[in-house]
Every structure is written in C-alpha cells, then in structure tokens.
Amino acid sequence: MTCLLCDKPLHDRPTWQHFLGIQKDTSACPTCLEKFERIDQFTEDNILDSVHSIYAYNEAAREYLHQFKFMQDVALAQIFAPSLRSVLNDSKKIIVPIPMHPINKRKRTFSQVDALLEAANISYQSLLEKTTESVMGEKSRSERLAMTELFRVTADIRSNEAVYVLVDDIYTTGTTLRHAAEALKQCGVQRVEAVTLFRPIREK
C-alpha cells in the first residue's frame, strides 16, 4: 500500500485493532500528514451558532484541494476520514453537506463534501440545493458578501429542535455557510453549527 499523497510505500503493520475493526488503514504517510496544521478553531456569530475549522489552509491544504477537487482524485477523500469521524461523532446531530450546483457537479463528476463524508462513513441528509452556478472561490470578498440567497431547502424539516451541522471543505468569509444556515433557520431550525476541513489563518 502506498501513500495517497506522495505515492511512497506505507509501512503499516496490521495490529489487533485492525482485526477488530477499531483501527482503520492509514492512507497517508506521517511525513505528508505532518504538513497539515491542525488548529481546531471555533467561531460563532448571530447566524452560525458554531463553526469548527479543523486544519489551517496552508500550502499543503491548497495542493490537496487542487488535486482532490480539480484533478478529480476522489481517493484523497480518505485522507481526512479519521479527523472528520472524530469531530462529527454525535449521532443526535443532523449532518448536512454544502451542495454543489447540479451543473457544476456534472462538470466535476462528484461532490467533494459528499465524498469526504462517505469516506468517513458519516450519515448525512442532502437538505439543500444551490441556486446559483457561481463559484465562491472565483469571486472577490466584496462580491461574496453581496450575494443573496444561495440555497433553498429541498425537504421537510421534521425535527426543528435537533442540531443541524453544515459541512464544507473550506471556510473563507463564511458567506456560503451563513446563507445555508439562514435557509435552514427560515424553515424553523433552532441551532445550526458548521464544520469545515480548512480555514485560512490571518497573520497577526
């Protein structure tokens, strides 16, 4: 077995945890994994009750997302499966991935957030539909902040008292997550949290 990031052989010997299904096979070598900076940063505002960003958006993260999303290397979803499982481990919360517009999804052939959750074996509900083809990464900060109604809810919200957790690959201005949270709250959801894999760290 080789590292999914550098393609070098992995020297991962089976243990009793493997046989009992407690320990998952490693998909990346320690050298590659050390390049990702774990930050576990939490923020909140009047719309998002909590946002948990797991890793810093550094050079390793940029290279990872380019290979994963734009080079369509779906296998890379396995890299962060253990981290996502550890963070999204509350079965009482409803996991909602941030969706892609159907046209963009057909172009890319897969939804990166769905792939991350499926690799981590996390159950989720696809409750949102994106209403615009616009890609946030191609817009300036002011353009992102000025956008209106990016999502609509596509299913009945049955349990308004449940905690809904939005999941996305990266947090930048937070515009995407806030629009998604607003759509859920307009349907009666009381608390909306979010988890993102990456988030840029501003220099002090």
Side-chain angles (χ1 to χ4, degrees):
M1 187 175 180
T2 60
C3 172
L4 292 176
L5 294 170
C6 68
D7 207 31
K8 292 181 180 178
L10 290 173
H11 303 291
D12 189 18
R13 297 180 180 177
T15 64
W16 64 269
Q17 289 99 330
H18 277 100
F19 294 113
L20 292 177
I22 300 173
Q23 181 175 324
K24 303 296 182 180
D25 290 332
T26 302
S27 54
C29 68
T31 301
C32 286
L33 291 176
E34 286 175 0
K35 296 177 182 178
F36 298 99
E37 180 186 355
R38 181 100 184 209
I39 56 172
D40 288 306
Q41 182 175 343
F42 290 85
T43 56
E44 61 183 55
D45 57 37
N46 60 331
I47 299 172
L48 285 163
D49 297 288
S50 172
V51 182
H52 179 185
S53 299
I54 307 174
Y55 292 93
Y57 186 56
N58 58 13
E59 184 60 32
R62 280 190 286 272
E63 292 177 0
Y64 169 84
L65 284 184
H66 176 76
Q67 186 71 19
F68 176 45
K69 294 166 65 172
F70 303 109
M71 302 301 289
Q72 301 175 351
D73 194 346
V74 186
L76 291 184
Q78 299 174 41
I79 299 292
F80 296 104
S83 299
L84 287 171
R85 274 195 300 269
S86 68
V87 170
L88 299 169
N89 60 358
D90 190 340
S91 60
K92 295 179 181 179
K93 295 182 178 181
I94 298 173
I95 309 301
V96 182
I98 293 295
M100 299 176 65
H101 190 277
I103 292 177
N104 293 332
K105 184 176 179 180
R106 284 197 295 271
K107 291 177 181 177
R108 192 172 294 170
T109 72
F110 75 103
S111 168
Q112 69 269 13
V113 181
D114 290 2
L116 288 168
L117 292 171
E118 288 162 9
N121 197 27
I122 296 169
S123 298
Y124 62 87
Q125 296 184 25
S126 299
L127 301 178
L128 298 171
E129 180 178 82
K130 194 170 184 186
T131 58
T132 173
E133 292 180 53
S134 300
V135 178
M136 298 301 271
E138 297 175 355
K139 293 184 176 295
S140 67
R141 179 183 176 86
S142 59
E143 288 175 330
R144 290 195 294 268
L145 294 173
M147 295 185 74
T148 59
E149 197 172 321
L150 299 180
F151 302 98
R152 69 180 185 90
V153 177
T154 59
D156 292 333
I157 303 295
R158 296 182 179 179
S159 180
N160 294 339
E161 295 181 358
V163 175
Y164 287 71
V165 183
L166 298 166
V167 179
D168 205 359
D169 53 357
I170 185 169
Y171 180 108
T172 48
T173 63
T175 301
T176 298
L177 292 173
R178 289 189 191 94
H179 276 266
E182 282 183 333
L184 291 173
K185 288 189 171 183
Q186 286 172 3
C187 291
V189 174
Q190 299 299 309
R191 182 175 177 85
V192 180
E193 300 177 354
V195 170
T196 69
L197 193 56
F198 301 114
R199 180 173 186 161
I201 297 180
R202 294 179 181 176
E203 298 293 335
K204 295 181 180 181

